[in-house]
């Protein structure tokens, strides 16, 4: 158990809908990362938050957004869902920036999203 | 931009034998981290081993060791005394040390099957 929790474990929804994925980082971790794992694209970085602020964006679609709350949990919002959004969505957390470098990331169990 | 390549989509090994998974990467950075992550059928992402580019000594964690060749931009994983529980997808990943963002860049993965 990494200490990172994600809810829900599974989500089945229809095209055009909107869903919210939730992540609670390990105690003490300030940085949260979201990754998408799909069969065709592999593991891709979506977005990073550090202590409540957006730090970096990767291959995140405009239909997707995220935020990190004062208690450091994070939510990833996916809207106008398409069949191609079906994937495993991982949250990872790390302590953050220490002594000039980012620390290693610990992954949650993932949320399996199926869009029908 | 950084890229990570895993040229072996699938591999198999007999229990108790040794297997080596290959990874090459491309970067213009001089300081970075390299990682191997294991993803068993449960889908959990588990950190296996990590290597700092500034360290010449190859990292070792029990039965897992790496062969890091910085000039060749190669980072292979050796699993000794393979066990059935080693059956999983293995991902090689790269992270810039001290970069503006701390996200991981993953290869496409190698599916390892350990046979009894």
């Amino acid at each position: 158990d990494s200490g990172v929790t994600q809810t829900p474990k599974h989500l089945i929804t229809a095209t055009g809908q909107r869903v919210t994925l939730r992540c609670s980082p390990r105690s003490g971790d300030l940085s949260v990362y979201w990754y998408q794992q799909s069969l065709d694209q592999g593991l891709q970085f979506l977005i990073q938050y550090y202590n409540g602020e957006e730090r970096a964006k990767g291959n995140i679609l405009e239909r997707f957004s995220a935020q990190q709350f004062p208690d450091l949990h994070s939510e990833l919002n996916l809207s106008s869902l398409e069949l191609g959004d079906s994937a495993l969505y991982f949250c990872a957390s790390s302590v953050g920036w220490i002594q000039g470098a980012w620390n290693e990331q610990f992954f949650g169990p993932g949320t399996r999203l199926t869009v029908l | 931009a950084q890229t990570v390549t895993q040229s072996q989509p699938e591999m198999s090994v007999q229990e108790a034998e040794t297997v080596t998974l290959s990874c090459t990467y491309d970067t213009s950075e001089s300081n970075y981290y390299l990682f191997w992550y294991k993803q068993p059928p449960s889908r959990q992402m588990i950190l296996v081993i990590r290597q700092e580019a500034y360290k010449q000594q190859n990292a070792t964690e029990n039965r897992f060791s790496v062969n890091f060749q910085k000039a060749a931009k190669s980072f292979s994983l050796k699993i000794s005394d393979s066990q059935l529980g080693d059956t999983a997808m293995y991902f090689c990943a790269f992270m810039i040390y001290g970069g503006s963002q701390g996200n991981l860049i993953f290869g496409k993965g190698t599916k390892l099957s350990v046979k009894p």
Side-chain angles (χ1 to χ4, degrees):
Chain A
D1 185 354
S2 67
V4 180
T5 60
Q6 288 187 250
T7 56
K9 276 189 175 181
H10 303 278
L11 201 46
I12 301 174
T13 188
T15 54
Q17 295 297 305
R18 173 189 168 93
V19 297
T20 297
L21 313 184
R22 183 187 168 101
C23 168
S24 293
R26 294 185 321 156
S27 177
D29 283 0
L30 298 179
S31 196
V32 168
Y33 305 79
W34 286 97
Y35 294 88
Q36 179 195 58
Q37 185 178 26
S38 61
L39 280 173
D40 53 344
Q41 297 293 326
L43 266 159
Q44 289 199 98
F45 166 65
L46 296 178
I47 196 164
Q48 176 194 1
Y49 278 83
Y50 180 61
N51 205 16
E53 300 288 327
E54 181 185 301
R55 183 75 191 204
K57 272 186 173 180
N59 297 321
I60 188 166
L61 299 171
E62 283 193 14
R63 301 183 285 108
F64 296 2
S65 64
Q67 55 184 326
Q68 187 179 27
F69 295 86
D71 67 352
L72 300 176
H73 90 271
S74 178
E75 293 181 356
L76 179 67
N77 300 297
L78 315 176
S79 62
S80 303
L81 285 166
E82 302 175 0
L83 296 177
D85 298 328
S86 295
L88 187 56
Y89 290 84
F90 284 107
C91 167
S93 75
S94 78
V95 171
W97 183 267
I98 293 180
Q99 294 183 337
W102 294 101
N103 270 250
E104 66 187 70
Q105 297 169 35
F106 296 85
F107 282 75
T111 292
R112 165 77 66 188
L113 174 66
T114 303
V115 182
L116 300 175
Chain B
Q2 283 65 234
T3 59
V4 178
T5 302
Q6 294 179 248
S7 58
Q8 306 149 315
E10 289 193 44
M11 293 189 74
S12 66
V13 63
Q14 291 296 129
E15 199 175 5
E17 293 188 348
T18 296
V19 64
T20 299
L21 309 184
S22 301
C23 172
T24 58
Y25 58 94
D26 191 25
T27 184
S28 57
E29 301 287 334
S30 58
N31 230 349
Y32 46 87
Y33 293 114
L34 293 161
F35 304 86
W36 279 97
Y37 280 88
K38 170 185 177 181
Q39 188 178 42
S42 66
R43 296 295 194 173
Q44 177 73 48
M45 292 290 287
I46 302 164
L47 178 63
V48 174
I49 199 164
R50 114 181 185 171
Q51 174 81 42
E52 289 88 344
Y54 63 85
K55 289 186 178 178
Q56 291 188 339
Q57 187 172 7
N58 289 322
T60 299
E61 286 289 340
N62 301 312
R63 298 182 295 108
F64 299 87
S65 61
V66 298
N67 183 3
F68 172 50
Q69 303 288 329
K70 190 172 184 179
K73 294 181 181 172
S74 170
F75 182 62
S76 61
L77 174 70
K78 185 171 86 171
I79 306 174
S80 304
D81 185 26
S82 296
Q83 300 176 0
L84 296 178
D86 295 333
T87 292
M89 282 290 290
Y90 287 82
F91 293 95
C92 179
F94 172 100
M95 183 172 81
I96 296 172
Y97 182 99
S100 60
Q101 60 198 63
N103 63 286
L104 292 161
I105 299 163
F106 288 93
K108 294 287 188 186
T110 296
K111 184 177 181 180
L112 177 66
S113 298
V114 180
K115 301 188 184 303

